[in-house]
Amino acid sequence: MKKNKIKTIINLIILISIIILIPNKTKASEKKEGIESFPENYRPYLEELNKKYPNWKFIALYTGLDWNYAIANENIFGKNLVPLSYNDRWKNTKQGEYNVEVDAGWVDSSKQAVEYAMDPRNFLNYVRIFQFENLSQNENNSNIDTIEKILYGTEFNNRIVEYYDSAGNKITTSDKYSTLILNAAMTSKVSSYHLAARIKQEVGPFLSHASISGTVEGFKGLYNFYNIGATSSSEPMGAIKNGLQYAKDGRGASEATKKKYLIPWDTKAKAVTGGAIFIGESYINVGQNTIYLQKFDVNDDRGGILFTHQYMTNVLAPYSESKSTYNGYSGSNILNSELSFVIPIYENMPEYPTESPSIDPSSYTSDNTKVYANVETTLNIRSGPSTSYEVICTVNKNDKLTRISKGKQQGELWDRVELENGIVGYAFQSYLVEQPEIEVNEIKLSLDKNVINKNERIQLNVEVLPENAENKNVIYSSSDTSVAVIDEKGEILGVSSGKSLITVKSEKYNISNSIEIEVYTPVSDLELDIVDSILQIGDTIKINPKIYPEDANNKKVIYQSEKENVAKVDKNGIITAISEGETNIVVKTEENNIEKNIKIKVIEKITEEELSFGNLKVEGNIITGLDYLNNKVSDIKNQITSKYKIEITNKEDEIITDEDIVGTGYKLKIYDTSNNGNDNNENSGNSENLILEYYFVLYGDVNGDGKINSIDLLVLQRHILEIEKIEGVAYKAGNINKNGNKPTSVDLLLIQRHILGLKIIEQK
């Protein structure tokens, strides 16, 4: 009664765990054939196998499952068992679960045991690979002689089938066990070799095994060659009786199900064939076509919930059965046949395969020493630290390895090593010798060109010598990152004009070298701070060109007047009005020939008696000196004395009222109304002749609304950052310190101080 209660609790725990831990799978599994389809840490193992067995095919099964998620769903009490006799690293040691016999002599396994058994990389050697063998039946695995060879060493080999009926009568047939197995394979579409190996694993080597003896009390004349339905039980022979109960009535199965599986299995032929049909339909023919996938339900081909449809509880069942399969195939001389293997892959797997719990971690110390194989011919690399483990591959004399862990065991010493191709295994310590470290002694640098443009990238050529140096890692740096930067791959980026020293230093050794790079910034644009203007004879106006980008190397500008008798321009950009007429002033960059034109109209000199500006300051066609607190149209008109008609227009050239305020970019227009239209000039017929036009500049009013506030601060800041450029009189309004240079952060500060009332911007 007590054992039944424990069993019920265990089953309840498993059911609850399944419900909690297994959500619907969102990423479908996918199969890809060929070694190149596998992750890099699988490939070297498979390449070694392919060298030995070129006819073998490897299929990558991308499960779509996160590694830790898969382990969590398998590491549930009672789902994976190990013998009670195993050391504690194999067993679940939690309080209340430690050494609790889930089945007679079997206890719950540790998480490490589950991780070890589920990590396919642990078993990619010529023996354990057979837990991934594709078990579907085909013409290559349908040979009676081969089946007999697999059964060799058991009482099934070359043996006529005899069995007992329910009354205890002995019945002798004309068939051998190999014939039963081949017939079952043809019916079930399951590999006959697998069926033979499976029977050998489950109930061999003796015909007296309780599952197939036909003599178990209460189940006489019943047979179960594959231990189907033999679920764990804490009762004596509990698992076997559960299996025989299935052989009797399918443990409550429907009549249709029993008919399909030939139940009851009251003859050995029905048991072998019916069980094979069960295995085929329940496992192999629905995507669980390897021993591994039958133990660990991680392939979603059947479209159901994962981690639930599992054939065995022994966590090492695939490991053990693979050895039986290998022995059978090896003895049958069929290892060179066309065999295929379906190998699972999980996401976010650990860097190295999980160690077997049989390996005591206290017998090793962590290490990262370079060693070489000190042998005359070759050195075996094994899957574990003794000659009882399988050989993964061999290395040649003087081949290099990295010792991951150094053995300190009793007796023979074994080290865990990693080969240059990524294979991880064990080697006998006596055959490993530490390599003398080869130091870096020179770093050579070169560039395809030493001058690059701004924003151009160039690869630095680096040669670390000698070629066989142990640590060839280097560190890159730039002496001036405002000019050039270099990334961890040695690619240089030109940031701005100038020169910088690029240095490459050995990560480990005191060796370095440097090379100079020059960054050149070509001219991309040209802006002017004045626009088309009307000048009086003798007036001068200066052009302050702005070259982009700010750090362009060649900022030379060429000035030229199309009619020097009307207006001339000197090399400094100063325009002088000479005589009445019109001309174009051409401003052009020496580099890239970027050109801008200013139209200049020259009129006769107007005397101060005819036109004066009071406290306003006039320079060329620019009027400054506005009182930013009294800058209405009426305030300005009151300062101007003129015999001519005057108008003030906004930036859209619209006449504004006396109450409107004047800002940067507004115009003062001077009209001569004395013309009656009878002369022959171009304005003949007009009653008003525009003779002069001036632009107002209110320093700090960059956006031209007649105010100095945070909006101007933002506009100027965007200009300085080259996000959105300003030009013409707005550009001049941004040069608050009036030094004729480009606006800078100093001008930003002056606006800030003005807004805060700390210092008012001077307008003259």
Side-chain angles (χ1 to χ4, degrees), residues 651-696:
K651 291 188 293 184
E652 286 72 37
D653 221 23
E654 301 167 339
I655 298 173
I656 57 177
T657 70
D658 286 352
E659 295 303 312
D660 292 323
I661 62 174
V662 175
T664 297
Y666 283 41
K667 299 176 185 176
L668 173 66
K669 296 186 176 184
I670 311 294
Y671 294 95
D672 183 1
T673 59
S674 64
N675 186 355
N676 60 13
N678 293 323
D679 57 4
N680 293 319
N681 66 30
E682 62 180 332
N683 295 306
S684 179
N686 296 327
S687 60
E688 293 182 352
N689 179 26
L690 178 65
I691 59 172
L692 282 174
E693 187 175 68
Y694 297 90
Y695 288 87
F696 289 102

Side-chain angles (χ1 to χ4, degrees), residues 9 128 172 213 287 441 517 560 571 599 666:
I9 293 171
R128 306 303 173 180
T172 302
S213 68
N441 57 30
I517 186 81
Q560 183 180 6
K571 63 180 181 180
K599 185 177 180 181
Y666 283 41

Side-chain angles (χ1 to χ4, degrees), residues 210-236:
S211 293
I212 58 171
S213 68
T215 60
V216 175
E217 194 63 37
F219 301 95
K220 290 184 177 180
L222 293 170
Y223 304 89
N224 192 334
F225 278 80
Y226 308 102
N227 278 329
I228 294 170
T231 55
S232 303
S233 172
S234 58
E235 298 180 11

Side-chain angles (χ1 to χ4, degrees), residues 31-39 43 58-60 62 345:
K31 295 185 180 72
K32 298 180 182 179
E33 187 170 344
I35 294 176
E36 68 280 358
S37 300
F38 285 80
R43 292 178 197 170
F58 304 102
I59 301 168
Y62 282 86
I345 297 161

Side-chain angles (χ1 to χ4, degrees), residues 532-537 560-568 575-586 598-604 681-683 689-693:
D532 296 348
S533 303
I534 302 174
L535 302 179
Q536 300 175 55
I537 294 174
Q560 183 180 6
S561 173
E562 291 181 352
K563 296 179 180 178
E564 292 194 346
N565 63 321
V566 175
K568 63 180 181 180
I575 302 170
T576 303
I578 305 298
S579 64
E580 286 187 86
E582 293 185 1
T583 187
N584 278 327
I585 302 299
V586 180
I598 304 170
K599 185 177 180 181
I600 299 295
K601 180 179 180 181
V602 179
I603 65 172
E604 289 184 357
N681 66 30
E682 62 180 332
N683 295 306
N689 179 26
L690 178 65
I691 59 172
L692 282 174
E693 187 175 68

Side-chain angles (χ1 to χ4, degrees), residues 228-266:
I228 294 170
T231 55
S232 303
S233 172
S234 58
E235 298 180 11
M237 292 183 64
I240 290 173
K241 288 180 179 179
N242 285 338
L244 291 174
Q245 184 66 47
Y246 191 92
K248 182 177 182 179
D249 60 7
R251 294 180 70 177
S254 67
E255 290 302 318
T257 299
K258 288 190 285 186
K259 182 179 179 180
K260 180 169 57 175
Y261 296 144
L262 310 180
I263 294 172
W265 293 337
D266 50 11

Side-chain angles (χ1 to χ4, degrees), residues 528-531 533 621-623 651 663-667 694-702 704 726-735:
L528 306 178
D529 65 342
I530 64 173
V531 294
S533 303
N621 68 334
I622 302 297
I623 297 176
K651 291 188 293 184
T664 297
Y666 283 41
K667 299 176 185 176
Y694 297 90
Y695 288 87
F696 289 102
V697 170
L698 179 64
Y699 289 107
D701 175 29
V702 185
I726 57 176
E727 56 186 335
V729 291
Y731 180 82
K732 190 175 186 70
N735 183 215

Side-chain angles (χ1 to χ4, degrees), residues 128-147:
R128 306 303 173 180
I129 187 76
F130 283 95
Q131 63 186 275
F132 308 116
E133 182 194 2
N134 188 340
L135 302 179
S136 298
Q137 189 268 342
N138 58 64
E139 60 182 16
N140 295 323
N141 53 27
S142 302
N143 185 284
I144 283 285
D145 291 338
T146 303
I147 297 171

